[in-house]
Amino acid sequence: MAKTPSSKGTRTARLACLLLAPCGLLAATVAQAAVDSPVLLDTLFQDHTVLQRDTAIPVWGQAKPNASLKIAFDGKSTTSRADAKGHWKAMLPALPAGGPYTLSVTAADGSTQTAHDVLVGDVWLCSGQSNMELQVRRTLNLNSEISGANNDRIRMLTVPQTGASEPQDHFAAPVQWKPTTPQNVADFSAACYYFARELQKTVDVPMGLINASLGGSRIEPWISAQALRKVGGYDEALDTLALHAKDPKAAAARWGKIWETWWRKQPQVKQGDEPWKAGATEDGWKAAPSPLINYQEWGVPDLASFTGMLWYRTTVTLTAKQAAQAATLSVGNVDEVDQTWINGTGVGSSSYGGSSRDYPLRHGLLHAGKNLIVINDLNTYQAGGVMGPADTRALRFADGSSVPLDSNGWQYREVPQGMGTPPLAPWLAVSGTTGLYNGMIAPLGHYALRGALWYQGESNTGQGASYRRLLEAYRDDLRARFGAQLPLLIVQLSSYGPAPTHPTESGWADVREAERLVAAEDKHSGLAVAVDIGERYDIHPANKQELGRRLARAARHVVYGESLPPSGPLPVSATRAGDAVEVSFKDVTGKLVAYSSNHPIGFELCGANAGSCHYADADLRDGKVVLHLDTPAAGDMSRVRYCWADSPFCTLYDEAGLPAVPFQLDVTSKH
């Protein structure tokens, strides 16, 4: 799977795309396949479907305009009428768990469609990025897990991975509900499957699992345009995405201007430095090798391990006849995100490596004589740059002729360090705005659900401060579509990367804290802690079985009302008591314990400012953790942090074997 940009120090988006999903097959916008004739039932309602128990069940489909229909299920029937476009919807009465049943729809003209082997139980939406997408075949004990997976009462549906500029009524490819068998389970979401398998031990009903996940994806593409506008700060991108749905060429030009504005505002950029324009400064431009390959292999010391942005440019000379034709610019394989201009006008931006990028050009953009082509490449991990066969890079004309881009050679220019990530085009599937909602969530309509699971955040670890607002928006967005009290079970980010040797600021910890706070503020949300089951050297930890157990435990409390603690010890307060700080916890099974020591580790005392934290010695006393004020931060101490790093070692558990939740708390005075 190809790579997608993420914050400095974050590997998820990059490695997830490299390993898990066919990103190279995803277009920025995927058109819905045409349907030759009306299908009475929406594709969600088919053989082996699971419908939600104990609630009215929405059912819908397509018929001839204004057709009357009869819908029958479990010996009961209702009617509906299609609208002028042929869309129809009906509500079936609530049923307890059971089945199998048949669901049939009959139109007045006698046409009918029937779904067989339909079960009624609990339906779950499982969504997020690569760790939700990660398949059963990549988990622990895979041979035994797969060979033993025979459970007709767990049914699975995988949503086709695609983005779209507008909300879609249908999936981009056929979908199929599948019973759990060794053949069907191997490529299904492991976290989703192991959750349902564990939950079924105490909630003995059929389970329907809908996996809508995509490796490397940020949270923004999973949120609707309406919800993102409420968050604020996304109007420009959303307006451009709306334009893209109607006029991709105009949207590309507009986004080019937005990108240029960002460039000019960077403190490292000299005034007037506009590399996409003809006549721009020649400072720093050097000849690129031919043929073009991964720039880390050019033999240039400064680029041997470089990740970041690199400029490329070349020129092509056209006749008046060529310039007057309709044309497409093909820039071949660019790893990983390009922003491309011709003659100073933005013409396109795509992500992922391994596939050609073809940008149709608006009339009048080309001219007779020399034409300037400029590419800014953003690469965040390992190999990068413009690369691949020379014949993949050309201007291609309507008459079938073409002009190769490599004829005059390419030049490159390095970009100053510290520039950060440029604006990412809103139509990029994994890193844009609302595209995955449009292409993967909107086609689910208002399917009745029992709850939703969310495992995402690695690709947003550079924006922990805003992630809480985005996660709240995602939660509220799901509830606007699937029900006002829809339970949301959040996986708190696992760990990845080198172990810390001193307290440090951490984008991963920031996101974990946002996830903790969102789960804590809402009685219909739960948290599954995963920091202790990560793998320092693999961003995709294989122990999804334990994760499934923890998600099921959270569901038993949040969704089904069991009184058991849902997610291990949760912090309540941090209070100054003389020469110590006492940290209190709730949701402790038995008592607090420290693994492999008499003293828990992983606690920090901090001042108000970043960089002021120091490790604190801790004891367990009377059900609390007591931190000693013998650190340099004691005088200015105002915060307690626990398990605060990308990949921390944390040893505080309870007697149920559940880890304490990573957190940050303000210290208060004891009254």
Side-chain angles (χ1 to χ4, degrees), residues 482-498:
F482 297 111
Q485 296 183 345
L486 182 79
L488 178 64
L489 305 180
I490 302 164
V491 179
Q492 195 183 41
L493 278 189
S494 186
S495 55
Y496 171 69

Side-chain angles (χ1 to χ4, degrees), residues 454 471 488-493 511-520 522 524-530 547 549-555 557-558 565-571 587 658-663:
W454 177 247
L471 185 54
L488 178 64
L489 305 180
I490 302 164
V491 179
Q492 195 183 41
L493 278 189
V511 170
R512 289 189 199 106
E513 180 69 354
E515 292 165 334
R516 179 184 76 85
L517 293 171
V518 171
D522 172 52
H524 299 296
S525 296
L527 191 72
V529 181
L547 179 64
R549 286 189 283 270
R550 293 181 185 181
L551 281 164
R553 185 184 181 102
H557 177 87
V558 173
S567 57
L570 284 170
D587 291 343
L658 294 174
V661 178
F663 67 87

Side-chain angles (χ1 to χ4, degrees), residues 278-299:
T281 177
E282 295 296 316
D283 293 347
W285 288 100
K286 304 171 187 176
S290 180
L292 287 177
I293 59 174
N294 166 23
Y295 64 71
Q296 292 184 348
E297 299 176 0
W298 286 359

Side-chain angles (χ1 to χ4, degrees), residues 239-256:
D239 291 345
T240 306
L241 185 66
L243 177 62
H244 187 268
K246 302 173 183 177
D247 188 345
K249 297 176 188 177
R254 176 185 290 183
W255 193 253

Side-chain angles (χ1 to χ4, degrees), residues 259-334:
W259 199 104
E260 294 160 17
T261 298
W262 170 84
W263 172 266
R264 294 187 187 100
K265 290 180 178 179
Q266 301 311 300
Q268 300 91 337
V269 174
K270 296 179 181 178
Q271 187 173 2
D273 182 8
E274 300 177 336
W276 57 87
K277 286 187 176 181
T281 177
E282 295 296 316
D283 293 347
W285 288 100
K286 304 171 187 176
S290 180
L292 287 177
I293 59 174
N294 166 23
Y295 64 71
Q296 292 184 348
E297 299 176 0
W298 286 359
V300 177
D302 288 346
L303 299 179
S305 58
F306 173 78
T307 56
M309 290 187 290
L310 205 66
W311 290 100
Y312 291 78
R313 73 178 183 184
T314 191
T315 60
V316 292
T317 302
L318 305 179
T319 66
K321 179 181 178 181
Q322 290 171 323
Q325 293 187 59
T328 296
L329 174 67
S330 298
V331 297
N333 175 16
V334 183

Side-chain angles (χ1 to χ4, degrees), residues 14 39 241 379 396 537 665:
R14 304 180 289 251
V39 177
L241 185 66
N379 173 45
R396 308 186 192 281
Y537 303 105
L665 285 180

